[in-house]
Amino acid sequence: MERKISIETEGIYREDYQIRMLRANPVAGFLKIQGQGVDGKTRYDYEVSGKISMKAMYERGKLSSRDIELFLHQLMALIKETEKYLLNIHCILLEPEYIFYEEETFYFCYYPPEEHDIWEALKLLADYFVKHADYKDRACVQMVFMLHKGVMEENYSLEKLAEQCMDAAGKNTFEEWKKENMKTEDTPPAYDRQEHDWIAEQEMAGTIMEETENMWTPVKRFLNRHRKPKWGDFDGLYIEEEEL
């Protein structure tokens, strides 16, 4: 069964180029939209079957570093696609109840009647991330606070800010790295019982062979002294050079 959410606004519905553009060119990352007039009002329906809203997600669980990574990359891609089709990026809703998620993909509502500053909306969303972050996830904490700090600056670049968030989460300090590597170097190699047993077996086999060789040496000497010469046995044969 198809599941939808609806957003209504006052005023008679008039279809403009934005809806026609989205219908002709479905943009990856936008929820499927349908506009119509109902009782003298304008209503936009969004198809959300199989998806869960960001608000519902983080009422049940915590925001992870993976979630932030996906969100930032996908939002940047969506903004570029929106501009490519001459749509208005400030019509992208960034309220948690209007952002949906399914299989590592975030989906957004494009709402033509409401034009707000997307960069200001991202500040509010960053506040929301701070409140719902998983503080046991170190990378998540680094990314959330880097994002929150960045969006508070004037004329910030989302692309550069996203890169800074990734760098903050992906690298340890030099001191932490050095401690981890020193700890690894100081750790003695693990005892390999299988290898030890194999070496012991080889050493034991060598000892047995040596003892067996020593035991048979007197017998071999006796046989060599009393054996009969055979044809072709030229031990002790010496030919003077002048005889050749």
Side-chain angles (χ1 to χ4, degrees), residues 92-134:
I92 301 173
L93 300 182
L94 291 184
E95 289 84 357
E97 59 266 34
Y98 297 128
I99 300 172
F100 285 77
Y101 178 88
E102 181 185 19
E103 296 181 353
E104 294 207 327
T105 302
F106 285 96
Y107 296 88
F108 300 80
C109 293
Y110 187 88
Y111 187 53
E114 183 174 322
E115 182 178 327
H116 62 172
D117 189 331
I118 191 173
W119 311 120
E120 289 297 320
L122 194 54
K123 290 181 181 179
L124 297 176
L125 189 61
D127 286 337
Y128 177 84
F129 284 171
V130 169
K131 294 175 184 177
H132 292 84
D134 182 358

Side-chain angles (χ1 to χ4, degrees), residues 27-43:
V27 177
F30 278 137
L31 293 168
K32 185 178 178 181
I33 183 175
Q34 178 66 46
Q36 59 182 317
V38 179
D39 298 329
K41 296 181 179 180
T42 295
R43 189 176 80 186

Side-chain angles (χ1 to χ4, degrees), residues 5-241:
I5 63 165
S6 300
I7 305 176
E8 285 189 352
T9 187
E10 296 294 332
I12 298 174
Y13 174 73
R14 292 184 177 86
E15 185 168 290
D16 60 11
Y17 81 95
Q18 298 177 88
I19 296 298
R20 291 193 293 271
M21 180 67 76
L22 288 170
R23 189 182 297 127
N25 303 281
V27 177
F30 278 137
L31 293 168
K32 185 178 178 181
I33 183 175
Q34 178 66 46
Q36 59 182 317
V38 179
D39 298 329
K41 296 181 179 180
T42 295
R43 189 176 80 186
Y44 291 91
D45 297 323
Y46 301 88
E47 204 273 305
V48 295
S49 299
K51 301 173 179 62
I52 183 173
S53 71
M54 179 180 283
K55 182 179 180 181
M57 278 179 67
Y58 302 128
E59 283 176 351
R60 303 174 188 177
K62 294 293 184 181
L63 178 74
S64 70
S65 55
R66 177 64 174 166
D67 294 338
I68 301 173
E69 179 186 359
L70 291 172
F71 177 83
L72 290 176
H73 287 318
Q74 291 169 12
L75 178 59
M76 286 191 296
L78 181 63
I79 288 173
K80 290 179 180 179
E81 284 295 295
T82 303
E83 293 174 333
K84 175 182 174 181
Y85 289 103
L86 304 178
L87 296 168
N88 190 344
I89 64 171
H90 299 292
C91 291
I92 301 173
L93 300 182
L94 291 184
E95 289 84 357
E97 59 266 34
Y98 297 128
I99 300 172
F100 285 77
Y101 178 88
E102 181 185 19
E103 296 181 353
E104 294 207 327
T105 302
F106 285 96
Y107 296 88
F108 300 80
C109 293
Y110 187 88
Y111 187 53
E114 183 174 322
E115 182 178 327
H116 62 172
D117 189 331
I118 191 173
W119 311 120
E120 289 297 320
L122 194 54
K123 290 181 181 179
L124 297 176
L125 189 61
D127 286 337
Y128 177 84
F129 284 171
V130 169
K131 294 175 184 177
H132 292 84
D134 182 358
Y135 285 89
K136 294 179 181 179
D137 181 344
R138 180 181 176 183
C140 178
V141 173
Q142 291 173 322
M143 295 175 82
V144 161
F145 281 97
M146 181 66 69
L147 177 64
H148 190 270
K149 178 184 176 183
V151 296
M152 296 303 165
E153 297 177 0
E154 292 186 8
N155 302 320
Y156 66 87
S157 164
L158 180 59
E159 190 168 349
K160 290 182 179 178
L161 181 55
E163 289 179 4
Q164 291 171 359
C165 289
M166 303 307 157
D167 289 342
K171 296 181 180 179
N172 291 329
T173 65
F174 176 74
E175 289 300 320
E176 290 170 336
W177 175 86
K178 188 166 67 172
K179 286 179 182 178
E180 289 179 1
N181 281 268
M182 286 177 64
K183 189 182 295 183
T184 303
E185 291 173 0
D186 293 339
T187 303
Y191 177 78
D192 190 335
R193 177 173 293 278
Q194 185 175 1
E195 183 178 0
H196 177 272
D197 291 344
W198 182 85
I199 293 172
E201 288 174 4
Q202 300 305 308
E203 290 177 347
M204 180 64 72
T207 302
I208 293 172
M209 291 295 293
E210 185 178 351
E211 290 176 354
T212 304
E213 182 72 20
N214 293 337
M215 180 181 71
W216 283 100
T217 297
V219 178
K220 289 168 67 178
R221 287 175 181 170
F222 175 82
L223 293 174
N224 286 335
R225 284 198 303 268
H226 295 83
R227 68 176 179 169
K228 294 180 180 180
K230 297 186 295 182
W231 187 90
D233 190 348
F234 301 112
D235 288 345
L237 178 63
Y238 181 78
I239 301 176
E240 292 287 344
E241 188 174 351

